[in-house]
Amino acid sequence: MTSAVDSGATTPISFEIYPPRSDEGLPALYTTIGALAAVRPQFISVTFGAGGSTRGRSLDVLTHILHATDVPPLAHLTCVGSSYAEANAIIREFLDAGITRFLALRGDPPAGTSEDDVFLGDLESAAQLVQLIGRVQAERAPYAEELVPGVPGAARVGRRERVQISVAAFPNGHPRSRHAGEDIDALLAKQAAGAEAAITQLFFHADEYLGFVDRARSAGVTIPILPGIMPITTPGRLRRVLELTGDPSPAALAQALDAADSPAAQRAVGIAHAADLARQVRAGGAPGVHLYAFNNHETVLAVLHEAGLRTTASHDPYDHAI
Ligand code: FAD
């Protein structure tokens, strides 16, 4: 089923990937990054293990995107378990490496620990991390030096690139929130702290995203809210994301995955479901589509193809997302 909802118009696309567990995984990921970059996404985001567990390899992947492609990298950063000094040092390290786009997250305490048992860090919420990133950047010199190629010792001085900070949003509520309004309040706090865009947790029905955006707009959220769409291509992946999000099982998708009689058939179900979602949210006014790629370019590119969405040639999410 391939019908472009916005024939003629283009759709800003972005992707999320994660750092591999070991350096041996990097070459395959770099091939995937090349294939994703070829469809000219607005940005490619790289996850960050809460507590800083993937710090070095996340930065390796981000700097690879920065230097090997013309797509801007966007760094996820979490603050749970970090002191102010540690969070400050990580932000500074990423800025020094040339990263200027961030997804500011609180992150979760280590699995199996309760929030009462462990040091949760000096920063209590993603909104505070948004503020800290802004402060760290403001304290840096307001200019950047760029070496002039072919002229030894010469440097060109230009304005330092502006930092752009996005945050997470939860259309079906965060597992920790006590009532639906709390997630909108949290998003308002992140916007007030300086966030310029939000990316949502995955959801299974377009109405969940569209209803959330309506509620957020009524409450005063004005920043673009990008729908995060995950192709669910196996029953196992569906189980794992339900554990993570606490959402009720999407009956039709679960049944279709169970009824599919081969991995190829399950993959086709997941791609068709994600493509339908992408088309529907775009038709409902979503400013773009953010795809969880799981370090595999073939599936998300198949989603785009099946959704019939044309991608854009520009790289500024903050221009297009609004
Ligand atoms: P916050 O916005 O600070 O809080 C989350 C929710 O908690 C709020 O929506 C609200 O409901 C509730 N809340 C906030 N403040 C309060 C309060 N004062 N009192 C009561 N309740 C409150 N995790 C990683 O470890 N690494 C990643 O790279 C990563 N990437 C992600 C990308 C996206 C797009 C999303 C949606 C999530 C990602 N996560 C990642 C998971 C995220 O870290 C967790 O969901 C975490 O529990 C919440 O992070 P947050 O930034 O939304 O936190």
Side-chain angles (χ1 to χ4, degrees), residues 16-17 45-51 54 75-80 103-109 115 124-129 167-171 173-187 190 198-202 226 228 244 290 292:
E16 176 187 298
I17 57 175
S45 79
V46 180
T47 64
F48 186 86
T54 66
H76 296 206
L77 276 188
T78 61
C79 56
V80 72
L103 182 69
L105 298 147
R106 178 179 181 269
D108 293 310
E115 300 219 350
E124 283 161 16
S125 67
Q128 293 185 11
L129 181 59
V167 289
F170 298 85
H174 187 276
R176 210 173 51 234
S177 58
R178 289 159 296 199
H179 54 84
E182 197 170 69
D183 291 293
I184 305 276
D185 288 348
L187 189 52
K190 296 178 195 186
I199 304 176
T200 74
Q201 180 62 284
L202 70 109
L226 275 179
L244 179 80
H290 182 70
Y292 294 103

Side-chain angles (χ1 to χ4, degrees), residues 108-135:
D108 293 310
T113 60
S114 124
E115 300 219 350
D116 301 329
D117 301 339
V118 288
F119 170 60
L120 290 178
D122 285 337
L123 297 147
E124 283 161 16
S125 67
Q128 293 185 11
L129 181 59
V130 173
Q131 283 175 329
L132 185 63
I133 296 171
R135 267 208 311 276

Side-chain angles (χ1 to χ4, degrees), residues 78-90:
T78 61
C79 56
V80 72
S82 300
S83 64
Y84 277 118
E86 285 163 349
N88 208 297
I90 294 176

